[in-house]
Amino acid sequence: MPRDGTLYDDSLWRAQNRERAQFFKTYYGPLGANSLHGLAIVDTISCSVLYANARFLASHGLAPNLEMPALCAAVHGRGSTPCGEGDAACPAMVGAKKGVEHRLTEVRPGGDGLPARTAEIVVIPLTFQSQFGRRSEVLLVEKEQSQAAPATQESEQEYHAAVARHSADAILGLGLDKKVRFWNRGAEELFGYSAEEAIGQDYGLLVPDTDIDRQEYQQLTRDFEKKGLVKNQQARRRTRDQRMVVVNLTRSHVLDAAGHPHGSSEICRDVTLEVLLRELIEHQLRAMNVIHEIGDLLHSTHSVDEILRLILTGVTAGQGLGFNRAFMLLVEDEDKDGGVLAGRLAIGPSTGDEASRIWNKLSKEPVALPDLYSRYEGTTEGHDVLVNSIVRSFRVPMADDSHPFVRSIKSRRAKNVIRGRLTDENKQVDAALCAQLQSDSFAIVPLNTREKPIGVLIVDNLITGLPVTEADLQMLKVFANHAGIALENSRLRANLERRVDELDHLTRRMQETQARLLQSERLSVIGEMAARIAHEVRNPLVSIGGFARLVRKGISADDPRSDYLRVISDEVARLERIVQGLLDYSRPQQTLDLVDVDVPRLVHEIAAMTRLEAETHGVSIVERFDPALKTVHIDGDKVRQVLLNLIRNSLDAMMREGQVVVETALVGDDRFRITVADNGPGIPKDKRERVFEPGFTTRQHGTGFGLAISKRLIESQGGQISLRSEVQAGCTFDIVLPRRVHIEEREPPRS
Amino acid sequence: MGQDDAAADAEQKKPRILIADDEPNLRLLYQSELESEGFEVLLATNGREAIAVAASEKPDLVVLDIRMPGMDGVEVLQRILDHNRTMPVILNSAYSSYKENFMTWAADAYVVKSSDVTELIAKIRDVLSKRKGERGGQAGTSAGG
C-alpha cells in the first residue's frame, strides 16, 4: 500500500518500477560507476531500490550484480521486512517524510560482516506525478569519511595537523595576499595540484575564467572582508586539467596568537556529482512532467490530427523533450498487403535561424505546456512547410522488411541512426533515406498498442547537430507509449461514436416508422367510418338538392321562392363537396413515394438494424456491395420493409449459428438486384411455389402475409421477387428492381 | 309533313333511358329531370330488374348505380354487355374510387352522383350522339335501300 493512503495497482506499479530501474541503469549507470560516493535511488512507496552504484552496494555488503528493483530492506539487512514510514534507520524513508533535501551523518558500528563506517548522507527527495499516481523517490549520496588517524600521534599539535592534512575535504590556507600557504591531501585530490605546485600560487588560479565565475568570486571576497566568514557557498572551480568542479565552500579567518587575522582558511567540499545528478534528475522530472501533461492533454482530445500535433509539440518543445524536428508516420490501408506507412504531420523549423528565433521567443518566460501548445499551434502553419513536405513524401510499404522504419515497427524497438549508421544493427542505412529526411542522425521510435502497430515517430536535432542519446531514446519510448495509447483510444472512440450515431439514427427511424404506422392505423379507422357515413349521407343529399333544383326550374325567377330554392341547392352542393373530400381522403394510399436512395446505405442501415437481433441468434449479417451500384430512384420505404421482412424470415428459419448475406449488384444497364441469402434449412420443393401466396407460412408464428405483401410492394414498382432454395443449403431471395421507377409502371392505363 | 306527324315523330324518336337505382327518391329525381329534358325514362329498382328490362325493352342507354343490394352495378354491367355488346351504359356512383376499378372501363362513362344532374345529362347526350354517329352511317345506308 502506498503511504499516502491512495490505492495503486501493485502489478502496474511493479511494472513502472522495472521501467524506472531500466531507465536509471541506462541514464546514470556510466556516471555512477565512476563515482567515489555511494549513490542510490529508492522508491519510497513500494520501498524498493531502483538504482545503486557499485560503491553503494559494496559499502552495504550487497552483491555487485544485485537485480533492480530490490527491496530497500535488503540494504538494511532486514530480509523482506519493509521499512516503515519515516523509519529512522532508513534514510530514504526519513527523506520522503521530511520532503526537503537534507544531510545526515550515519555512524555504523560494524558487525554482521560489515566494517564500521561513518558516512555523511545527502538525502534528496523527488516527487512527481506519473501515469499511475504520485511517485516519491529519494536520491541518496553517501560520502564515507576517512577513518580517524591512528592514535599513535606524538603530540596534540601534530595530531591536529594530521587531521587537517588527511581530511577528505579540501582544506586551503591563504595568506593575506590570497596566496596559498596550506594545501592538504583533499585539496590535492580535488583540484589536481600537488602541495608543491599549489603553495605560493594565487587563489585566482582556481577560479574559472568566465565573467560569471569572476564576478561571483569578487562578491565572495567582499562578503568575506565585511563579515569575516562565508559559509556553505556554492561555487565553480577549475582543476589542474581544466575540468569544472562544483564546491561547497566555507572560508574563515585564521587568527594569530594575538587574535589578529593573518590569513584565511577555506574548506571545499566537492558537490559536483550531487549538482550534476540533481540537474539531470530535474531535467528528467521536467520531461516526465511534460510527458504526463501531454498525456493529460492527449486524453482530453479525440481528434487524431490534434493528438498528432500534441505529440510532435511535446517532442520538440524546449520544455518538453526538446528535439529540433519530429515527423509522424502512420500505418494506413492495413487490409491491403499489410498496409503502408504514410507521412502525416511534422513539426520543426527548416533553418537554424528560424529555429533560434522560435526557441528564443519561447524560452523568454516559462510557459505551461498547454499554453505553449496553443501558442505554437498558431505559428506552425508558415513554419513547417518544409518538414511537412518532407513527411508527406514518405509512403513506405509495410511489406518492405528492409526499411528501418518497418523494422522498428515490427520489432517494436526504437532505433538510433548516428551519421547514417544504425547503432543497434551496426550497418549503414540507405543514403536515399537520409537524403529524404535531409539528416543523417535521427531516432526511430515505434508507436504501438498491445494489439497492433500504429506508426513511427522520427526525431532529430538537425539544427543543433547533436545525435540522439540512448537516454533520449529511453525517454522517447516512454513518451511513445503514451502517444500510442492516446491514438488508439481516439480511434476506438471514433469507432464508438460512429456506432452510437448509427444507433441514434436507427432509433429515430424506428420511432418515425412506429409513429407513421400508428398514424396510418388511426387514419384507416377514421377513414372507414368516414366512408360509410359519407356514403349514407350522399344519396339523401342528391335527392334534396336535386329536387330543389328541379322545383326552381319550374318557377319564375321573380318568385321569391326561387331564391330560397337556390339557397337549398347551394348548401347541398357544399355538403356534397365536404362528403366528396372525406371519401377521397379515406381512399387507401397506394401511391409510390419515389426518392433517390443510396443502395449501400439502405442495405447497411437494415443490416445494422437487424444485427443485434441476429447476433443473439448467433447469426452474422454480411454486406457485400457492387461498387458500381449507388443511387437509385425507388420507393425506399417499401423496399426497406421488404428487406427487413426477408432478413427476419431468415433469422427465424435458422435454428443454429449461420450467416445472412445481403448483396447488391447491377443487372444490365437499368436494373439492379438485392439478394438476401441465408444458410439455414431451406424450403422443401413442394412448398417453394407457394411461399408468395397470401396466408401461406412454413413457420409456427407469423401471419403468412409477409412474403405476399413483399411481392406486391416490389411488383408495384415494376420489379420482381423470386426464391431459389436448396434443402439444407438455405434460401436465396432475389429482388430485381428498375434503377429508376416511374409512376406509370404500376398504374393501369386510363380509359 | 303535318305538325302532328312531326310531334309524333319526335315522340317516337325520344331516346329511351333505363335508370337503375335502389333509392326511390333518386329514381324519382332522375325520372323528372330526364323527362323534362325530353327523354323517355324506364326504371329498375335493382340489378336483376335492370338486366331484365334492358333485355326486354332494349333502351337506348342504361344508367347504373354501382352500389345496389343483391347484385352490384359492375356485375350488372357485365351481364348487360354479355347479352348486348353494343348497349351504351353509364355508371353513376357516389364513389369516385370506382373509376380506378378496371371492371368499369367497359362502361361508356362514369359519373359521380350529384344533386346537380347537369353532368349526368350532358354525359347521356354525349354517349348517345357518339353512338348515333356510328349507327347513323349504317342507318343512312339502310334508309336508302
Side-chain angles (χ1 to χ4, degrees):
Chain A
M1 287 291 290
R3 303 192 186 285
D4 60 359
T6 56
L7 286 169
Y8 69 95
D9 184 318
D10 256 330
S11 65
L12 284 179
W13 196 263
R14 276 200 298 275
Q16 197 183 23
N17 272 350
R18 277 197 299 277
E19 204 176 278
R20 296 284 290 160
Q22 180 60 39
F23 181 85
F24 286 126
K25 192 174 163 190
T26 319
Y27 212 117
Y28 297 128
L31 196 74
N34 297 329
S35 172
L36 292 173
H37 303 313
L39 296 173
I41 295 169
V42 180
D43 166 37
T44 61
I45 288 175
S46 66
C47 206
S48 333
V49 183
L50 303 174
Y51 170 78
N53 70 348
R55 178 80 189 213
F56 185 94
L57 292 170
S59 70
H60 289 273
L62 297 166
N65 57 351
L66 181 68
E67 198 181 325
M68 296 295 165
L71 262 184
C72 178
V75 176
H76 309 304
R78 290 186 189 168
S80 60
T81 315
C83 311
E85 185 182 0
D87 197 326
C90 179
M93 289 305 183
V94 172
K97 197 180 181 195
K98 276 197 171 175
V100 291
E101 179 179 331
H102 60 278
R103 285 156 198 270
L104 50 91
T105 304
E106 188 191 69
V107 181
R108 188 172 66 193
D112 291 339
L114 291 175
R117 73 158 190 176
T118 301
E120 186 191 47
I121 305 178
V122 184
V123 183
I124 306 171
L126 309 156
T127 60
F128 63 98
Q129 196 67 34
S130 82
Q131 69 190 106
F132 302 118
R134 190 154 189 80
R135 290 192 67 93
S136 167
E137 293 173 7
V138 169
L139 167 65
L140 300 173
V141 184
E142 295 187 347
K143 300 173 180 178
E144 285 185 28
Q145 283 166 10
S146 40
Q147 290 304 297
T152 53
Q153 292 295 330
E154 296 113 60
S155 69
E156 195 69 2
Q157 200 173 5
E158 277 194 24
Y159 169 70
H160 289 164
V163 169
R165 252 198 322 278
H166 292 106
S167 166
D169 287 335
I171 301 176
L172 292 69
L174 300 174
L176 289 170
D177 56 359
K178 307 284 190 302
K179 295 263 195 289
V180 176
R181 286 181 60 188
F182 178 78
W183 193 257
N184 78 340
R185 204 186 68 191
E188 284 181 336
E189 277 178 10
L190 175 57
F191 296 111
Y193 296 101
S194 67
E196 290 75 31
E197 289 171 312
I199 288 172
Q201 294 284 343
D202 192 275
Y203 183 87
L205 180 70
L206 302 175
V207 179
D209 193 19
T210 72
D211 289 348
I212 294 178
D213 291 300
R214 274 198 301 270
Q215 280 164 18
E216 273 184 7
Y217 181 60
Q218 283 160 13
Q219 185 62 42
L220 182 136
T221 315
R222 281 197 294 275
D223 288 351
F224 180 67
E225 276 162 9
K226 209 155 78 189
K227 296 186 213 155
L229 180 70
V230 171
K231 218 174 169 181
N232 283 331
Q233 179 133 352
Q234 198 160 301
R236 292 207 297 185
R237 293 293 176 257
R238 187 172 54 174
T239 66
R240 187 173 190 271
D241 54 4
Q242 304 301 311
R243 277 186 306 116
M244 291 283 199
V245 290
V246 183
V247 297
N248 180 298
L249 63 83
T250 295
R251 187 180 278 196
S252 51
H253 281 301
V254 177
L255 304 177
D256 62 15
H260 300 298
H262 69 125
S264 55
S265 75
E266 186 175 292
I267 302 172
C268 294
R269 175 173 289 164
D270 180 9
V271 293
T272 312
L273 202 59
E274 284 165 60
V275 169
L276 204 60
L277 276 178
R278 197 175 314 133
E279 275 177 9
L280 278 172
I281 288 175
E282 274 169 9
H283 166 77
Q284 198 217 343
L285 287 186
R286 263 203 314 278
M288 287 295 277
N289 279 335
V290 164
I291 288 173
H292 188 71
E293 238 175 284
I294 290 181
D296 279 353
L297 279 175
L298 283 176
H299 295 300
S300 69
T301 175
H302 305 294
S303 134
V304 171
D305 282 343
E306 218 169 290
I307 289 173
L308 293 182
R309 197 170 280 282
L310 263 172
I311 292 168
L312 297 182
T313 306
V315 170
T316 53
Q319 289 92 324
L321 304 181
F323 293 99
N324 290 164
R325 306 191 305 172
F327 302 85
M328 182 70 82
L329 289 79
L330 296 184
V331 180
E332 290 175 359
D333 300 333
E334 278 161 276
D335 39 350
K336 268 188 272 169
D337 309 326
V340 63
L341 196 54
R344 274 294 292 271
L345 193 68
I347 282 187
S350 27
T351 64
D353 276 357
E354 190 183 283
S356 50
R357 210 166 50 239
I358 295 173
W359 302 136
N360 279 343
K361 195 176 120 200
L362 290 176
S363 57
K364 284 266 161 58
E365 74 241 58
V367 186
L369 200 78
D371 297 343
L372 173 67
Y373 168 64
S374 56
R375 193 189 302 187
Y376 192 60
E377 188 184 31
T379 65
T380 52
E381 303 307 322
H383 288 113
D384 298 288
V385 177
L386 181 72
V387 283
N388 273 301
S389 77
I390 291 175
V391 79
R392 277 194 290 270
S393 71
F394 278 102
R395 278 191 81 81
V396 183
M398 285 293 284
D400 181 359
D401 284 330
S402 68
H403 200 286
F405 294 180
V406 176
R407 295 168 79 85
S408 170
I409 290 186
K410 289 193 176 167
S411 64
R412 294 177 171 249
R413 294 174 78 96
K415 288 181 180 290
N416 204 356
V417 176
I418 297 176
R419 277 173 290 286
R421 184 166 285 274
L422 271 164
T423 56
D424 58 338
E425 298 179 32
N426 195 23
K427 63 177 196 189
Q428 288 296 121
V429 297
D430 195 347
L433 176 61
C434 296
Q436 200 173 353
L437 278 171
Q438 302 182 8
S439 164
D440 65 359
S441 298
F442 50 89
I444 308 164
V445 187
L447 291 177
N448 288 305
T449 62
R450 208 160 297 182
E451 291 81 27
K452 58 175 187 177
I454 295 178
V456 283
L457 178 65
I458 313 296
V459 304
D460 72 3
N461 289 317
L462 178 74
I463 312 298
T464 59
L466 295 171
V468 179
T469 65
E470 285 301 312
D472 287 337
L473 220 52
Q474 286 285 337
M475 197 80 86
L476 278 168
K477 276 196 234 167
V478 176
F479 188 71
N481 273 346
H482 268 281
I485 291 168
L487 275 173
E488 186 58 15
N489 281 348
S490 123
R491 286 190 186 189
L492 289 176
R493 196 185 160 96
N495 244 333
L496 197 67
E497 276 174 359
R498 211 175 44 241
R499 290 226 164 179
V500 168
D501 278 355
E502 229 167 52
L503 208 62
D504 269 0
H505 180 71
L506 290 178
T507 311
R508 263 200 311 281
R509 208 171 244 294
M510 272 162 87
Q511 283 169 347
E512 280 167 16
T513 310
Q514 216 163 22
R516 260 210 307 270
L517 268 174
L518 209 65
Q519 176 75 354
S520 66
E521 217 166 89
R522 236 181 251 141
L523 280 181
S524 73
V525 172
I526 295 171
E528 224 169 88
M529 276 178 62
R532 268 172 55 190
I533 293 168
H535 187 247
E536 296 305 323
V537 167
R538 180 126 209 177
N539 284 344
L541 283 177
V542 171
S543 304
I544 297 167
F547 282 109
R549 283 168 199 271
L550 196 64
V551 175
R552 192 170 166 232
K553 278 186 211 163
I555 59 174
S556 150
D558 301 336
D559 191 324
R561 282 173 302 175
S562 172
D563 258 353
Y564 307 158
L565 288 165
R566 183 188 53 77
V567 169
I568 294 174
S569 55
D570 283 357
E571 292 298 342
V572 166
R574 190 150 75 96
L575 284 173
E576 280 181 308
R577 281 196 299 277
I578 293 169
V579 165
Q580 186 62 51
L582 267 175
L583 286 172
D584 285 345
Y585 184 72
S586 64
R587 272 171 56 202
Q589 292 286 320
Q590 289 287 346
T591 53
L592 288 176
D593 189 9
L594 296 177
V595 286
D596 282 344
V597 173
D598 184 284
V599 178
R601 193 185 164 143
L602 173 79
V603 168
H604 183 64
E605 260 179 36
I606 289 157
M609 226 181 218
T610 46
R611 188 159 281 134
L612 190 68
E613 191 185 333
E615 280 167 3
T616 62
H617 287 67
V619 176
S620 59
I621 295 192
V622 181
E623 302 157 48
R624 288 190 195 134
F625 299 112
D626 181 344
L629 176 61
K630 280 279 178 202
T631 309
V632 295
H633 193 71
I634 56 172
D635 187 329
D637 280 344
K638 292 200 169 72
V639 173
R640 173 178 293 115
Q641 197 179 329
V642 172
L643 288 174
L644 269 176
N645 183 41
L646 292 181
I647 293 175
R648 294 238 160 89
N649 277 350
S650 288
L651 293 183
D652 282 344
M654 275 190 275
M655 311 294 185
R656 52 186 167 73
E657 293 181 355
Q659 66 172 17
V660 174
V661 180
V662 188
E663 195 169 0
T664 69
L666 271 178
V667 179
D669 286 340
D670 52 0
R671 296 175 89 75
F672 71 98
R673 180 172 58 226
I674 302 178
T675 303
V676 178
D678 67 49
N679 57 358
I683 294 177
K685 198 174 176 186
D686 56 317
K687 292 183 177 159
R688 232 170 279 164
E689 310 289 313
R690 298 183 52 209
V691 291
F692 294 108
E693 285 175 20
F696 178 83
T697 180
T698 58
R699 289 181 285 152
Q700 284 183 320
H701 313 288
T703 59
F705 284 98
L707 285 174
I709 291 171
S710 293
K711 187 174 155 75
R712 214 174 66 199
L713 292 177
I714 293 302
E715 287 178 352
S716 73
Q717 302 184 54
Q720 297 100 40
I721 180 167
S722 56
L723 166 68
R724 292 178 273 153
S725 179
E726 295 294 327
V727 175
Q728 300 310 325
C731 279
T732 302
F733 283 94
D734 292 308
I735 299 167
V736 177
L737 280 164
R739 287 170 78 180
R740 285 199 74 81
V741 173
H742 298 286
I743 296 285
E744 292 74 42
E745 295 200 37
R746 47 128 225 151
E747 288 202 342
R750 290 191 183 280
S751 55
Chain B
M1 246 185 247
Q3 205 166 355
D4 282 357
D5 277 353
D9 210 43
E11 187 70 21
Q12 253 195 338
K13 279 185 187 167
K14 262 188 187 172
R16 297 163 76 228
I17 311 292
L18 169 61
I19 300 280
D21 203 308
D22 59 324
E23 292 256 351
N25 292 342
L26 290 183
R27 285 200 301 273
L28 182 59
L29 174 69
Y30 293 136
Q31 189 180 12
S32 314
E33 285 279 12
L34 288 177
E35 282 176 357
S36 76
E37 291 292 325
F39 295 100
E40 188 185 330
V41 177
L42 305 170
L43 294 172
T45 62
N46 59 48
R48 284 177 202 290
E49 212 180 306
I51 294 166
V53 174
S56 60
E57 298 292 327
K58 295 190 175 52
D60 294 301
L61 188 143
V62 182
V63 177
L64 280 175
D65 182 18
I66 291 183
R67 280 238 177 150
M68 286 185 294
M71 193 185 289
D72 76 14
V74 178
E75 197 180 340
V76 175
L77 167 70
Q78 207 63 40
R79 297 277 187 96
I80 289 176
L81 292 182
D82 281 349
H83 198 258
N84 181 355
R85 277 206 143 327
T86 58
M87 176 71 75
V89 180
I90 291 175
L91 288 172
N92 186 32
S93 168
Y95 288 98
S96 58
S97 58
Y98 276 102
K99 269 184 183 171
E100 285 167 21
N101 186 327
F102 70 95
M103 286 293 283
T104 65
W105 304 341
D108 291 80
Y110 188 104
V111 179
V112 177
K113 272 188 188 175
S114 164
S115 62
D116 186 350
V117 292
T118 323
E119 194 198 346
L120 177 62
I121 288 165
K123 274 275 171 358
I124 291 172
R125 290 226 161 91
D126 189 37
V127 170
L128 283 178
S129 74
K130 268 189 199 159
R131 287 302 176 100
K132 199 174 172 185
E134 286 161 20
R135 233 184 342 222
Q138 292 166 4
T141 354
S142 62

